[in-house]
Amino acid sequence: MVPPTAGSSHEIDIVSEELIIDVPQVMEPAQWPECCIYRVPKRLRQINNEAYTPKLISIGPFHHGKDELKEMEMLKVRYFKDFCYRTGKCQKDLASVIEDNEVKIRHCYAENFDISSEDFVKMVLLDSAFIIELFLRADAGGRTEYENDYILSKPWLKLNIAEDLILLENQLPLFILEELHNQFSRSAKNNYISFLKLAYRYLLNLDEEVQAKKEVKHFTDLKRYYYYPSDPETGKAISDLYNATKLYEAG
C-alpha cells in the first residue's frame, strides 16, 4: 500500500469535512414535471419588453401586485361575487378546490414565490373566477343583463384583455380552470359547454376546439396549438409563397 503524501492527506481532510451551504428555497431551480409557465428570457425582453408585459390585468404570480395593474383588482372581486351567485357556492367551497391543488399549481411555475398559502389561494381563486365568469358572460351573447358589462360593452377592452390573457408570464394552469368550471359552473344553463371551448371562443374567436395531440397546459399553449397544429397535414396550406427578393422589395 502506497503511503499518502502530505498533499494527498490534506486533500482527504478537505473532502471529509462536512460542507453545508444554505440555499434558500426561492433559489431552487424548477424540477417538477408539471412545470410549464416561465418568465420570458431577458434577451427577448430587451428586444421588445412591452410585447411580453400585461398592460391591463395580472393573472398568476409573476405580475401580481404591480401598481399599474391594480385598477382591475376591484373588477376581479366583483366578478368573483357574481361567480359565487351564479354557482350558488360560497367562497369556502370554491377555495377548497384551490387548496387541494395548491402544491400542483405552484409546481407549474418555473419559480418559487414567497407568497403565503392563504394569499396564494386567494390570488388563484380571484383570477380563476374572473376568467371563467368573463368567458361565460361573453358566451351568453347579447343578453341584456350583460349589455353594460364593464369589459364586454367596450370591444377594445375585450380585445386588450384577451391579449393580456395570452401572455406567457400571465398564466394559470389550465387544469385548475377546468376543474372549477366542471365542478361549479358547467350546467344546463350554458349547454354544459367545456371550458376549453369557452377559451377558444373568447381568445381566438373560434367555435370549434383545435384538436391537440398533447394536453393544453395554459392559454399560451392553446394559441400555440392553433397556429402550429400537431398534425401539419391537417393545417391550412400556404397558398402564396414569395421568395426573399419579393419580400425584401415589399418591405
Side-chain angles (χ1 to χ4, degrees):
M1 182 175 181
V2 180
T5 63
S8 63
S9 176
H10 178 63
E11 290 173 1
I12 292 172
D13 289 342
I14 292 176
V15 172
S16 65
E17 290 179 3
E18 185 178 3
L19 181 63
I20 300 176
I21 301 176
D22 184 19
V23 180
Q25 187 179 7
V26 292
M27 292 179 63
E28 292 180 1
Q31 298 177 346
W32 309 108
E34 301 94 338
C35 184
C36 59
I37 303 173
Y38 312 86
R39 283 195 189 274
V40 173
K42 289 183 179 179
R43 184 171 295 182
L44 287 178
R45 279 199 166 278
Q46 289 172 351
I47 297 173
N48 189 355
N49 183 59
E50 289 190 1
Y52 306 102
T53 306
K55 302 180 179 54
L56 294 173
I57 192 166
S58 69
I59 299 294
F62 282 123
H63 297 276
H64 179 68
K66 287 189 174 180
D67 289 339
E68 60 270 27
L69 302 174
K70 283 185 177 179
E71 186 177 339
M72 295 296 291
E73 292 303 305
M74 286 306 299
L75 185 64
K76 287 183 186 178
V77 174
R78 222 180 314 155
Y79 270 46
F80 174 68
K81 290 180 178 178
D82 290 343
F83 186 71
C84 289
Y85 178 78
R86 174 193 295 274
T87 60
K89 299 295 181 180
C90 66
Q91 179 176 338
K92 188 176 181 180
D93 293 332
L94 300 172
S96 66
V97 178
I98 310 297
E99 291 168 349
D100 292 343
N101 288 279
E102 180 187 353
V103 173
K104 185 178 178 181
I105 296 170
R106 284 182 181 268
H107 286 178
C108 289
Y109 295 94
E111 295 181 18
N112 289 311
F113 298 94
D114 189 18
I115 305 175
S116 70
S117 179
E118 181 180 352
D119 289 342
F120 187 84
V121 169
K122 180 181 177 181
M123 174 194 70
V124 174
L125 181 58
L126 282 176
D127 290 354
S128 299
F130 168 80
I131 291 172
I132 299 171
E133 179 66 21
L134 174 63
F135 287 6
L136 287 171
R137 292 185 184 198
D139 197 64
R143 283 169 52 175
T144 55
E145 59 186 306
Y146 302 132
E147 63 183 4
N148 294 319
D149 179 81
Y150 183 78
I151 295 174
L152 301 180
S153 63
K154 307 174 184 68
W156 64 269
L157 183 56
K158 178 184 176 184
L159 177 62
N160 288 344
I161 292 290
E163 290 174 350
D164 275 359
L165 293 180
I166 288 292
L167 298 176
L168 178 59
E169 293 182 6
N170 219 29
Q171 297 301 311
L172 290 177
L174 192 72
F175 85 85
I176 196 62
L177 294 163
E178 289 185 310
E179 184 73 19
L180 287 167
H181 177 59
N182 289 339
Q183 283 200 38
F184 302 115
S185 54
R186 190 174 187 177
S187 65
K189 189 176 181 180
N190 51 54
N191 296 317
Y192 298 102
I193 187 171
S194 71
F195 180 77
L196 204 55
K197 193 164 187 176
L198 284 171
Y200 273 114
R201 285 182 177 179
Y202 186 88
L203 298 172
L204 299 174
N205 199 28
L206 291 176
D207 197 44
E208 294 184 4
E209 297 179 19
V210 175
Q211 297 301 315
K213 289 185 178 179
K214 295 184 179 180
E215 177 188 0
V216 177
K217 305 289 188 179
H218 44 69
F219 292 153
T220 312
D221 213 23
L222 179 146
K223 189 171 184 179
R224 179 174 69 88
Y225 278 123
Y226 170 65
Y227 285 108
Y228 186 79
S230 55
D231 184 359
E233 293 182 2
T234 63
K236 294 180 179 179
I238 300 175
S239 56
D240 297 304
L241 186 63
Y242 300 102
N243 61 36
T245 303
K246 289 186 177 181
L247 290 173
Y248 178 79
E249 291 174 351

